[in-house]
Amino acid sequence: MARIRVLVVDDHRIFAESLAAALAAEQDVEVAAAGSGPAALRCLERGASEGRRFDVMLVDADLGRAAGAAAGAMGIPPQPLPAPAESLVHGAAVASPVNGPVPGPPVNGAAVGGAVGGAAVGGAAVGGAAVGGAVNGRAAPGRVAPARPADGIALVGGVRSAQPGVRTVVLAERDDPRRAAAALQAGACGWVAKDCSLSRLLAVIRGVLRDETHLPPALLTGVLRELTAARKHRTESERLVESLTPREREVLRCMVAGLGRKAVAERLYLSPHTVRTHMQNVLGKLGVHSTLAAVALARRAGVGPVDLAGEVVERGGQLA
């Protein structure tokens, strides 16, 4: 029997351990848990290096946001954090049954549905020991936390780039069409309520492995509206970017990379005055009044930053 390898990513320890235990009770499911974005990425990398890639990642939409907001509100600077551990759950005991799924209608060949109900789950055994540190792990004094994605949706985009074969499903406490649309654009295969039944979640896990996209029916109209609006904005942004000359587009890419006027001048072998003129032309043609707005528009149009590791143009090239 082919086993489905699932990675649960949530910084709420009780929820992560309980969900991992419930999923691991299925004979064809193997589960690991991670308590942060960096821990999840390490777990995915280790699995790939060992030839045991994960199939599905379940990630909290608000991963890390609550703790970050609380610390910021109290003015607490970043502190050394414990090294998050990832524990593989080999077996689990489910303490009580769960409600059945509430299926939804298929949309363009993809199963779309939502469910109500919940599951009370008991403890899980990891190699015969109780799950104690599946999320937080042991402390490593003096270890400074690495840079991490802002939330679960940002993690989805990172995983899509690093391991495109991993299907991701976002777990959310509330329906939010805008964030659900952002998750799909980042590469997620589904958006599921945290209070859905275990049966429903298992159906979604198996569905995304068949290249299905899962959304609650109540979110469908809002998500389609958001995606349509995003596409419209992208099309308009692309049209504006296409109005730029090749040199202006190169200057725009430098702006996206965060380079200032002097750095752009040195990189493109131009005078600062000429660069200033190009930047003013870029802002005028894009119809914006600041570099920040120009960069945001460029991002919507799919314009990436200039490669800071390589040369942009040849000295005396035609772009000048």
Side-chain angles (χ1 to χ4, degrees), residues 127-143:
V131 175
V135 177
N136 290 335
R138 296 180 179 178
R143 182 179 182 274

Side-chain angles (χ1 to χ4, degrees), residues 27 84 91 144 186 259 277 297 303 311:
Q27 292 184 352
V144 178
L259 299 181
T277 300
L297 188 149
V303 177
E311 292 298 325

Side-chain angles (χ1 to χ4, degrees), residues 276-303:
R276 179 184 178 186
T277 300
H278 282 313
M279 287 183 168
Q280 290 176 339
N281 290 339
V282 168
L283 297 184
K285 290 183 178 180
L286 297 183
V288 296
H289 302 286
S290 69
T291 298
L292 184 61
V295 170
L297 188 149
R299 286 294 195 181
R300 288 198 300 271
V303 177

Side-chain angles (χ1 to χ4, degrees), residues 12-24 92-94 119-124 198:
H12 292 82
R13 177 174 172 177
I14 294 177
F15 177 83
E17 291 182 2
S18 299
L19 178 57
L23 291 173
V94 180
V121 296
L198 180 62

Side-chain angles (χ1 to χ4, degrees), residues 53-81:
R53 294 181 181 273
F54 284 91
D55 302 298
V56 178
M57 180 178 73
L58 306 178
V59 58
D60 177 21
D62 297 319
L63 181 69
R65 296 183 72 183
M74 293 184 291
I76 299 176
Q79 300 292 327
L81 296 178

Side-chain angles (χ1 to χ4, degrees), residues 59-62 170-176 179 191-195:
V59 58
D60 177 21
D62 297 319
V170 177
L171 305 179
E173 293 184 357
R174 60 189 179 280
D175 288 343
D176 186 332
R179 297 194 71 209
W191 179 281
V192 180
K194 280 191 171 183
D195 62 356

